[in-house]
Amino acid sequence: SAVISQKPSRDICQRGTSLTIQCQVDSQVTMMFWYRQQPGQSLTLIATANQGSEATYESGFVIDKFPISRPNLTFSTLTVSNMSPEDSSIYLCSVVGRGNTGELFFGEGSRLTVL
Amino acid sequence: AQSVSQHNHHVILSEAASLELGCNYSYGGTVNLFWYVQYPGQHLQLLLKYFSGDPLVKGIKGFEAEFIKSKFSFNLRKPSVQWSDTAEYFCAVNANSGYALNFGKGTSLLVTP
């Protein structure tokens, strides 16, 4: 298994500001992903965080809005830029467990509310 | 388009009732299938998964799921639910395009005493 810590766990932000979410894993992992869970919705994949290179974004998500860093195999950040109320969501970091079993492990999420 | 559909958005059951939550997917080719659970205030946890072999898979806490390839389905079942099963349940699919999962919209289960 993998233990994932996210910071902040929740925040209230003003429109137009940016917030960076941190994800720390207790072991080195190859695959790391960022998901968004909007109120009452399912999880939507934002991007794959690639170590040492640019993240791979899913359709509908762009680097300017959601810049991602992955400086090493245990840490990543997701920034939500120029926030609007539509960005109010839970943002989740997830990793593939050791042995690449296909199972994803999730952090507890960062709940952002944009006013 | 590839998608995962969960038919029941909200389910209310009495304790000891049987549970079946539907999940259908629209991917071609080989798929890996998962059910995740999110208890109130907790993070997502894996209930069970199917990669290959016996299409009836057993997971934690008495849950099981059956993969029916011809129906593109992976329904979750439990013979007798408990109050502690109250949670959000998500079906997810990995269609061999990496390890990222595509999730259904989730089913909120409330078990009443």
Side-chain angles (χ1 to χ4, degrees):
Chain A
S1 66
V3 178
I4 304 168
S5 302
Q6 282 187 236
K7 290 180 182 179
S9 57
R10 58 179 64 230
D11 206 340
I12 299 174
C13 307
Q14 296 298 318
R15 183 195 298 259
T17 62
S18 299
L19 182 78
T20 296
I21 301 166
Q22 298 180 1
C23 175
Q24 179 73 54
V25 189
D26 68 339
S27 59
Q28 292 187 337
V29 293
T30 306
M31 307 294 291
M32 184 180 282
F33 307 97
W34 286 98
Y35 282 84
R36 180 175 74 182
Q37 186 177 19
Q38 292 177 302
Q41 302 294 316
S42 184
L43 286 80
T44 302
L45 180 64
I46 297 172
T48 302
N50 301 309
Q51 193 267 328
S53 63
E54 198 169 279
T56 305
Y57 290 84
E58 297 299 306
S59 176
F61 297 95
V62 295
I63 188 172
D64 290 345
K65 176 68 176 177
F66 298 101
I68 289 171
S69 78
R70 177 106 190 259
N72 56 54
L73 293 177
T74 64
F75 186 78
S76 177
T77 66
L78 168 75
T79 298
V80 186
S81 303
N82 188 24
M83 286 185 284
S84 66
E86 293 71 34
D87 294 319
S88 296
S89 289
I90 300 173
Y91 292 85
L92 295 129
C93 173
S94 72
V95 303
V96 178
R98 255 176 291 189
N100 289 338
T101 60
E103 175 183 354
L104 289 190
F105 294 90
F106 288 85
E108 294 191 2
S110 298
R111 182 184 294 271
L112 301 189
T113 301
V114 184
L115 303 178
Chain B
Q2 298 175 336
S3 66
V4 181
S5 299
Q6 291 183 238
H7 316 300
N8 318 99
H9 297 298
H10 298 281
V11 174
I12 302 175
L13 294 173
S14 299
E15 276 194 316
S18 64
L19 170 72
E20 181 160 3
L21 301 182
C23 174
N24 287 88
Y25 61 93
S26 62
Y27 291 81
T30 304
V31 292
N32 298 323
L33 299 155
F34 304 79
W35 276 97
Y36 279 82
V37 61
Q38 188 171 28
Y39 297 105
Q42 298 188 24
H43 62 277
L44 279 162
Q45 302 171 42
L46 182 69
L47 265 182
L48 47 79
K49 61 187 177 186
Y50 172 81
F51 286 178
S52 63
D54 188 343
L56 184 63
V57 293
K58 296 192 183 298
I60 61 171
K61 305 189 180 186
F63 286 91
E64 64 179 31
E66 184 175 13
F67 170 53
I68 303 179
K69 188 174 181 180
S70 61
K71 294 185 178 180
F72 297 89
S73 70
F74 190 56
N75 292 354
L76 181 71
R77 299 195 291 250
K78 185 169 183 178
S80 175
V81 294
Q82 301 172 322
W83 176 79
S84 58
D85 293 324
T86 293
E88 191 89 15
Y89 292 82
F90 295 93
C91 180
V93 177
N94 171 335
N96 289 332
S97 60
Y99 286 93
L101 297 180
N102 195 348
F103 285 83
K105 289 194 173 184
T107 297
S108 176
L109 172 66
L110 174 64
V111 180
T112 60

